[in-house]
Coordinates of all heavy atoms in Angstrom, one line a residue:
L422 N 9.8 -18.5 16.0 CA 9.9 -17.6 14.8 C 10.9 -16.5 15.1 O 11.7 -16.2 14.2 CB 8.5 -17.0 14.5 CG 7.6 -17.6 13.5 CD1 6.3 -16.9 13.5 CD2 8.2 -17.6 12.1
H423 N 10.9 -16.0 16.3 CA 11.8 -14.9 16.6 C 13.2 -15.5 16.9 O 14.2 -15.1 16.4 CB 11.3 -14.1 17.8 CG 12.3 -13.0 18.1 ND1 13.0 -12.9 19.3 CD2 12.8 -12.0 17.3 CE1 13.8 -11.9 19.3 NE2 13.7 -11.3 18.1
R424 N 13.3 -16.5 17.8 CA 14.5 -17.1 18.2 C 15.4 -17.6 17.1 O 16.5 -17.4 17.0 CB 14.3 -18.1 19.3 CG 15.5 -18.6 20.0 CD 15.1 -19.8 20.9 NE 14.5 -20.9 20.1 CZ 13.4 -21.5 20.4 NH1 12.8 -21.2 21.6 NH2 12.9 -22.5 19.7
D425 N 14.7 -18.4 16.3 CA 15.5 -19.2 15.3 C 15.5 -18.5 13.9 O 16.3 -18.8 13.0 CB 14.9 -20.6 15.0 CG 14.9 -21.4 16.3 OD1 15.7 -21.0 17.3 OD2 14.1 -22.4 16.5
H426 N 14.6 -17.6 13.7 CA 14.4 -17.0 12.4 C 14.3 -15.5 12.3 O 14.0 -14.9 11.2 CB 13.2 -17.6 11.6 CG 13.3 -19.1 11.6 ND1 14.1 -19.7 10.6 CD2 12.7 -20.1 12.3 CE1 14.0 -21.0 10.8 NE2 13.2 -21.3 11.8
A427 N 14.5 -14.8 13.5 CA 14.5 -13.3 13.5 C 13.2 -12.7 13.0 O 13.2 -11.6 12.4 CB 15.7 -12.8 12.8
V428 N 12.1 -13.4 13.1 CA 10.8 -12.9 12.7 C 10.0 -12.5 14.0 O 9.7 -13.3 14.8 CB 10.0 -13.9 11.9 CG1 8.5 -13.3 11.6 CG2 10.7 -14.3 10.6
S429 N 9.8 -11.2 14.1 CA 9.2 -10.6 15.3 C 7.6 -10.6 15.1 O 7.2 -10.6 14.0 CB 9.6 -9.2 15.7 OG 10.9 -9.2 16.0
T430 N 6.9 -10.6 16.2 CA 5.4 -10.6 16.0 C 4.8 -9.6 17.0 O 5.2 -9.5 18.2 CB 4.8 -12.0 16.3 OG1 5.4 -12.9 15.4 CG2 3.3 -11.9 16.0
V431 N 3.9 -8.8 16.6 CA 3.0 -8.0 17.5 C 1.7 -8.5 17.4 O 1.1 -8.7 16.3 CB 3.0 -6.5 17.1 CG1 2.1 -5.7 18.1 CG2 4.4 -5.9 17.0
L432 N 1.1 -8.9 18.5 CA -0.2 -9.6 18.6 C -1.2 -8.8 19.5 O -0.8 -8.4 20.6 CB -0.1 -10.9 19.3 CG 0.6 -12.1 18.6 CD1 1.6 -12.6 19.5 CD2 -0.4 -13.1 18.2
V433 N -2.3 -8.5 18.9 CA -3.4 -8.0 19.7 C -4.2 -9.1 20.3 O -4.7 -10.0 19.6 CB -4.4 -7.1 18.9 CG1 -5.6 -6.8 19.7 CG2 -3.6 -5.8 18.5
I434 N -4.2 -9.2 21.6 CA -4.9 -10.3 22.4 C -5.7 -9.7 23.5 O -5.2 -9.1 24.4 CB -3.8 -11.3 23.0 CG1 -3.0 -11.9 21.8 CG2 -4.5 -12.3 23.8 CD1 -3.6 -13.1 21.1
G435 N -7.0 -9.9 23.5 CA -7.8 -9.6 24.6 C -8.3 -10.7 25.4 O -8.5 -10.7 26.6
G436 N -8.3 -11.9 24.7 CA -9.0 -13.0 25.3 C -8.2 -14.1 25.9 O -8.5 -14.7 26.9
S437 N -7.0 -14.4 25.3 CA -6.2 -15.6 25.8 C -5.0 -15.2 26.6 O -4.0 -14.9 26.0 CB -5.9 -16.4 24.6 OG -5.0 -17.5 25.1
G438 N -5.1 -15.3 27.9 CA -4.0 -15.1 28.8 C -2.9 -16.1 28.6 O -1.8 -15.9 29.1
D439 N -3.1 -17.2 27.9 CA -2.0 -18.2 27.7 C -0.9 -17.6 27.0 O 0.3 -18.0 27.1 CB -2.6 -19.4 26.9 CG -3.6 -20.2 27.7 OD1 -3.9 -19.8 28.8 OD2 -3.9 -21.3 27.3
Y440 N -1.2 -16.5 26.2 CA -0.1 -15.9 25.5 C 0.9 -15.2 26.4 O 2.0 -14.8 25.9 CB -0.6 -15.0 24.4 CG -0.8 -15.6 23.0 CD1 -2.0 -16.2 22.7 CD2 0.2 -15.6 22.1 CE1 -2.1 -16.9 21.5 CE2 0.1 -16.2 20.9 CZ -1.1 -16.8 20.6 OH -1.2 -17.5 19.3
L441 N 0.5 -14.9 27.6 CA 1.5 -14.2 28.5 C 2.8 -15.0 28.6 O 3.9 -14.4 28.8 CB 0.9 -13.9 29.9 CG -0.4 -13.1 29.9 CD1 -0.8 -12.9 31.4 CD2 -0.2 -11.8 29.2
D442 N 2.7 -16.3 28.5 CA 3.9 -17.2 28.6 C 4.9 -17.0 27.5 O 6.1 -17.3 27.6 CB 3.5 -18.7 28.6 CG 2.8 -19.1 29.9 OD1 3.1 -18.5 31.0 OD2 1.9 -20.0 29.8
V443 N 4.5 -16.5 26.4 CA 5.4 -16.4 25.2 C 5.8 -15.0 24.9 O 6.4 -14.8 23.9 CB 4.8 -17.1 24.0 CG1 4.6 -18.6 24.3 CG2 3.5 -16.4 23.5
A444 N 5.4 -14.0 25.7 CA 5.6 -12.6 25.3 C 6.9 -12.1 25.9 O 7.3 -12.3 27.1 CB 4.5 -11.7 25.8
D445 N 7.6 -11.3 25.1 CA 8.8 -10.5 25.7 C 8.3 -9.2 26.3 O 8.9 -8.7 27.2 CB 9.7 -10.2 24.5 CG 10.4 -11.4 23.9 OD1 10.9 -12.2 24.7 OD2 10.3 -11.6 22.7
H446 N 7.3 -8.6 25.7 CA 6.7 -7.3 26.1 C 5.2 -7.4 26.1 O 4.6 -8.0 25.1 CB 7.2 -6.2 25.3 CG 8.7 -6.0 25.4 ND1 9.3 -5.3 26.5 CD2 9.7 -6.5 24.6 CE1 10.6 -5.3 26.3 NE2 10.9 -6.1 25.2
V447 N 4.6 -6.8 27.1 CA 3.1 -6.8 27.1 C 2.7 -5.3 27.3 O 3.1 -4.7 28.3 CB 2.5 -7.7 28.2 CG1 1.0 -7.6 28.2 CG2 3.1 -9.1 28.1
I448 N 1.9 -4.8 26.4 CA 1.5 -3.4 26.5 C 0.0 -3.5 26.7 O -0.7 -4.1 26.0 CB 1.8 -2.7 25.2 CG1 3.3 -2.6 25.0 CG2 1.2 -1.3 25.1 CD1 3.7 -2.3 23.5
R449 N -0.5 -2.8 27.7 CA -1.9 -2.8 28.0 C -2.5 -1.4 27.5 O -2.0 -0.4 27.9 CB -2.2 -3.0 29.4 CG -3.6 -2.8 29.8 CD -4.0 -3.0 31.2 NE -5.4 -2.6 31.5 CZ -5.9 -2.5 32.7 NH1 -5.2 -2.8 33.7 NH2 -7.2 -2.2 32.8
M450 N -3.5 -1.5 26.7 CA -4.2 -0.3 26.3 C -5.3 0.0 27.3 O -6.2 -0.9 27.6 CB -4.8 -0.4 24.9 CG -3.7 -0.5 23.8 SD -2.5 0.8 23.8 CE -3.6 2.2 23.3
R451 N -5.3 1.2 27.9 CA -6.4 1.5 28.8 C -6.8 3.0 28.5 O -6.0 3.9 28.5 CB -5.9 1.4 30.2 CG -7.1 1.7 31.1 CD -7.0 1.6 32.6 NE -5.7 1.2 33.2 CZ -5.5 0.9 34.5 NH1 -6.6 0.9 35.2 NH2 -4.4 0.6 35.0
D452 N -8.1 3.2 28.2 CA -8.6 4.5 27.8 C -7.7 5.0 26.6 O -7.4 6.2 26.7 CB -8.7 5.4 29.0 CG -9.6 4.9 30.0 OD1 -10.6 4.3 29.6 OD2 -9.4 5.2 31.2
Y453 N -7.3 4.2 25.7 CA -6.6 4.6 24.5 C -5.1 4.9 24.8 O -4.4 5.4 24.0 CB -7.2 5.8 23.8 CG -8.6 5.7 23.5 CD1 -9.5 6.7 23.8 CD2 -9.2 4.5 23.0 CE1 -10.8 6.6 23.6 CE2 -10.6 4.4 22.7 CZ -11.4 5.4 23.1 OH -12.7 5.3 22.8
L454 N -4.6 4.7 26.1 CA -3.3 5.0 26.4 C -2.6 3.7 26.8 O -3.1 2.8 27.4 CB -3.2 5.9 27.6 CG -3.7 7.4 27.2 CD1 -3.8 8.3 28.5 CD2 -2.7 8.0 26.2
P455 N -1.3 3.6 26.3 CA -0.5 2.3 26.6 C 0.1 2.4 27.9 O 0.6 3.4 28.4 CB 0.5 2.4 25.5 CG 0.7 3.8 25.2 CD -0.5 4.5 25.5
E456 N 0.2 1.2 28.6 CA 1.0 1.0 29.8 C 1.9 -0.2 29.6 O 1.4 -1.2 29.0 CB 0.1 0.7 31.0 CG -0.8 1.7 31.5 CD -1.9 1.2 32.4 OE1 -1.6 0.2 33.2 OE2 -3.1 1.6 32.4
D457 N 3.1 -0.2 30.1 CA 3.9 -1.4 30.0 C 3.6 -2.3 31.2 O 3.9 -1.9 32.3 CB 5.4 -0.9 30.0 CG 6.3 -2.2 29.9 OD1 5.9 -3.3 29.9 OD2 7.5 -1.9 29.7
V458 N 3.0 -3.4 30.9 CA 2.5 -4.3 32.0 C 3.4 -5.6 32.0 O 2.9 -6.6 32.4 CB 1.0 -4.6 32.0 CG1 0.2 -3.3 32.3 CG2 0.6 -5.3 30.7
T459 N 4.5 -5.6 31.4 CA 5.3 -6.8 31.2 C 5.6 -7.4 32.6 O 5.5 -8.7 32.7 CB 6.7 -6.4 30.5 OG1 6.4 -5.7 29.3 CG2 7.5 -7.7 30.2
D460 N 6.0 -6.7 33.5 CA 6.4 -7.3 34.8 C 5.2 -8.0 35.5 O 5.2 -9.1 36.0 CB 7.0 -6.3 35.8 CG 8.4 -5.8 35.3 OD1 9.0 -6.6 34.4 OD2 8.8 -4.8 35.7
R461 N 4.1 -7.2 35.4 CA 2.8 -7.8 36.0 C 2.4 -9.0 35.3 O 1.9 -10.0 35.8 CB 1.8 -6.6 35.9 CG 0.4 -7.0 36.4 CD 0.2 -6.9 37.9 NE -1.1 -7.4 38.2 CZ -1.3 -8.5 39.0 NH1 -0.3 -9.2 39.4 NH2 -2.5 -9.0 39.2
A462 N 2.6 -9.0 33.9 CA 2.2 -10.2 33.2 C 3.0 -11.4 33.5 O 2.5 -12.5 33.6 CB 2.3 -9.9 31.6
R463 N 4.3 -11.2 33.8 CA 5.2 -12.3 34.2 C 4.7 -12.8 35.5 O 4.6 -14.1 35.7 CB 6.6 -11.8 34.4 CG 7.3 -11.4 33.1 CD 8.5 -12.1 32.8 NE 8.9 -12.0 31.4 CZ 9.5 -10.9 30.9 NH1 10.0 -10.0 31.7 NH2 9.7 -10.7 29.6
A464 N 4.3 -12.0 36.4 CA 3.9 -12.4 37.8 C 2.6 -13.2 37.6 O 2.5 -14.3 38.2 CB 3.7 -11.2 38.6
V465 N 1.7 -12.7 36.8 CA 0.4 -13.4 36.6 C 0.7 -14.8 36.0 O 0.1 -15.8 36.5 CB -0.5 -12.6 35.7 CG1 -1.7 -13.4 35.3 CG2 -1.0 -11.3 36.4
A466 N 1.6 -14.9 35.0 CA 1.9 -16.1 34.4 C 2.5 -17.1 35.3 O 2.1 -18.3 35.2 CB 2.8 -15.9 33.2
S467 N 3.3 -16.7 36.3 CA 3.8 -17.7 37.2 C 2.8 -18.0 38.4 O 2.8 -19.1 38.9 CB 5.2 -17.3 37.7 OG 5.1 -16.1 38.5
E468 N 2.0 -17.0 38.7 CA 1.0 -17.3 39.8 C -0.1 -18.3 39.3 O -0.6 -19.1 40.0 CB 0.3 -16.1 40.2 CG 1.0 -15.3 41.2 CD 0.5 -13.8 41.2 OE1 -0.7 -13.6 41.0 OE2 1.3 -12.9 41.5
L469 N -0.4 -18.1 38.0 CA -1.5 -19.0 37.4 C -1.0 -19.7 36.2 O -1.4 -19.4 35.1 CB -2.7 -18.0 37.0 CG -3.4 -17.1 38.0 CD1 -4.3 -16.2 37.4 CD2 -4.1 -18.0 39.0
P470 N -0.3 -20.8 36.5 CA 0.2 -21.6 35.3 C -1.0 -22.1 34.5 O -1.9 -22.5 35.1 CB 1.1 -22.6 35.9 CG 0.7 -22.6 37.3 CD 0.1 -21.4 37.8
T471 N -0.8 -22.2 33.2 CA -2.0 -22.7 32.4 C -2.0 -24.2 32.3 O -3.0 -24.8 32.1 CB -1.9 -22.2 30.9 OG1 -0.7 -22.8 30.3 CG2 -1.7 -20.7 30.8
G472 N -0.8 -24.9 32.6 CA -0.8 -26.3 32.4 C -0.8 -26.8 31.0 O -0.8 -28.0 30.8
R473 N -0.7 -25.9 30.0 CA -0.7 -26.3 28.6 C 0.6 -27.0 28.4 O 1.7 -26.7 29.0 CB -0.6 -25.0 27.8 CG -1.9 -24.4 27.4 CD -1.7 -23.4 26.2 NE -1.8 -24.0 25.0 CZ -0.8 -24.2 24.1 NH1 0.4 -23.8 24.4 NH2 -1.0 -24.8 22.9
V474 N 0.6 -27.9 27.4 CA 1.9 -28.4 26.9 C 2.1 -27.9 25.5 O 1.2 -27.7 24.7 CB 1.9 -30.0 26.9 CG1 2.0 -30.6 28.2 CG2 0.7 -30.5 26.1
D475 N 3.4 -27.6 25.3 CA 3.8 -27.0 24.0 C 3.6 -28.1 23.0 O 4.0 -29.3 23.1 CB 5.3 -26.7 24.1 CG 5.9 -26.0 22.8 OD1 5.3 -26.3 21.8 OD2 6.8 -25.2 23.0
E476 N 2.9 -27.8 21.9 CA 2.5 -28.8 20.9 C 3.4 -28.8 19.7 O 3.2 -29.6 18.7 CB 1.1 -28.6 20.5 CG 0.1 -28.7 21.6 CD -1.4 -28.7 21.2 OE1 -1.7 -28.2 20.1 OE2 -2.2 -29.2 22.1
A477 N 4.5 -28.0 19.7 CA 5.4 -28.0 18.6 C 6.3 -29.3 18.6 O 7.2 -29.4 19.4 CB 6.2 -26.8 18.6
A478 N 5.9 -30.2 17.8 CA 6.6 -31.5 17.8 C 7.9 -31.5 17.0 O 8.8 -32.3 17.2 CB 5.7 -32.6 17.2
T479 N 8.0 -30.6 16.1 CA 9.2 -30.5 15.2 C 9.8 -29.1 15.4 O 9.2 -28.2 15.8 CB 8.8 -30.6 13.7 OG1 7.7 -29.6 13.4 CG2 8.2 -32.0 13.4
R480 N 11.1 -29.1 15.0 CA 11.7 -27.7 14.9 C 11.1 -26.9 13.9 O 10.6 -27.4 12.9 CB 13.2 -27.9 14.6 CG 14.1 -27.7 15.8 CD 15.6 -27.9 15.3 NE 16.1 -26.6 14.7 CZ 16.6 -25.7 15.6 NH1 16.7 -25.9 16.8 NH2 17.1 -24.6 15.0
L481 N 11.1 -25.6 14.1 CA 10.4 -24.7 13.0 C 11.5 -24.5 12.0 O 12.5 -23.9 12.2 CB 10.0 -23.4 13.7 CG 9.4 -22.4 12.7 CD1 8.1 -22.9 12.2 CD2 9.1 -21.1 13.5
R482 N 11.2 -25.0 10.8 CA 12.1 -24.8 9.6 C 11.4 -23.8 8.6 O 10.1 -24.0 8.4 CB 12.5 -26.1 9.0 CG 13.6 -26.8 9.7 CD 14.0 -28.0 9.0 NE 12.9 -29.0 8.9 CZ 12.5 -29.3 7.6 NH1 13.1 -28.9 6.5 NH2 11.4 -30.1 7.5
R483 N 12.1 -23.0 8.0 CA 11.6 -22.1 7.1 C 11.2 -22.9 5.8 O 12.1 -23.5 5.2 CB 12.6 -21.0 6.7 CG 12.1 -20.0 5.7 CD 13.0 -18.9 5.5 NE 12.6 -18.0 4.5 CZ 13.0 -16.8 4.3 NH1 14.0 -16.3 5.0 NH2 12.6 -16.0 3.3
P484 N 10.0 -22.8 5.4 CA 9.6 -23.6 4.2 C 10.4 -23.2 3.0 O 10.8 -22.1 2.8 CB 8.1 -23.3 4.0 CG 7.7 -22.9 5.3 CD 8.8 -22.2 6.0
L485 N 10.7 -24.1 2.0 CA 11.4 -23.8 0.8 C 10.6 -22.9 -0.1 O 9.4 -23.0 -0.2 CB 11.7 -25.1 0.0 CG 12.7 -26.1 0.7 CD1 12.7 -27.4 0.0 CD2 14.0 -25.5 0.9
P486 N 11.3 -21.9 -0.7 CA 10.5 -21.0 -1.7 C 9.9 -21.9 -2.8 O 10.5 -22.8 -3.3 CB 11.6 -20.1 -2.2 CG 12.9 -20.4 -1.5 CD 12.7 -21.7 -0.7
R487 N 8.7 -21.4 -3.2 CA 8.0 -22.1 -4.3 C 8.5 -21.5 -5.6 O 9.1 -20.5 -5.7 CB 6.5 -21.8 -4.2 CG 5.9 -22.5 -3.0 CD 4.5 -22.0 -2.8 NE 4.5 -20.6 -2.4 CZ 3.5 -19.8 -2.6 NH1 2.4 -20.2 -3.1 NH2 3.6 -18.5 -2.2
R488 N 8.3 -22.3 -6.7 CA 8.5 -21.9 -8.0 C 7.2 -21.8 -8.8 O 6.7 -22.8 -9.2 CB 9.5 -22.9 -8.7 CG 10.9 -23.0 -8.2 CD 11.6 -24.3 -8.5 NE 11.9 -24.3 -9.9 CZ 13.1 -24.2 -10.4 NH1 14.1 -24.0 -9.7 NH2 13.3 -24.3 -11.8

Side-chain angles (χ1 to χ4, degrees):
L422 266 174
H423 180 243
R424 187 188 58 228
D425 301 342
H426 301 282
V428 176
S429 296
T430 304
V431 180
L432 290 129
V433 167
I434 297 279
S437 172
D439 290 10
Y440 266 90
L441 300 183
D442 287 329
V443 297
D445 296 306
H446 295 276
V447 183
I448 297 163
R449 175 180 173 186
M450 295 304 295
R451 184 174 3 188
D452 299 329
Y453 313 134
L454 290 172
E456 294 167 33
D457 182 350
V458 295
T459 306
D460 291 342
R461 174 84 186 112
R463 293 239 163 82
V465 169
S467 69
E468 278 160 32
L469 300 171
T471 66
R473 272 192 90 249
V474 287
D475 186 328
E476 300 188 338
T479 54
R480 256 181 86 84
L481 180 63
R482 281 183 303 118
R483 182 173 174 166
L485 295 174
R487 292 168 295 159
R488 293 160 67 108

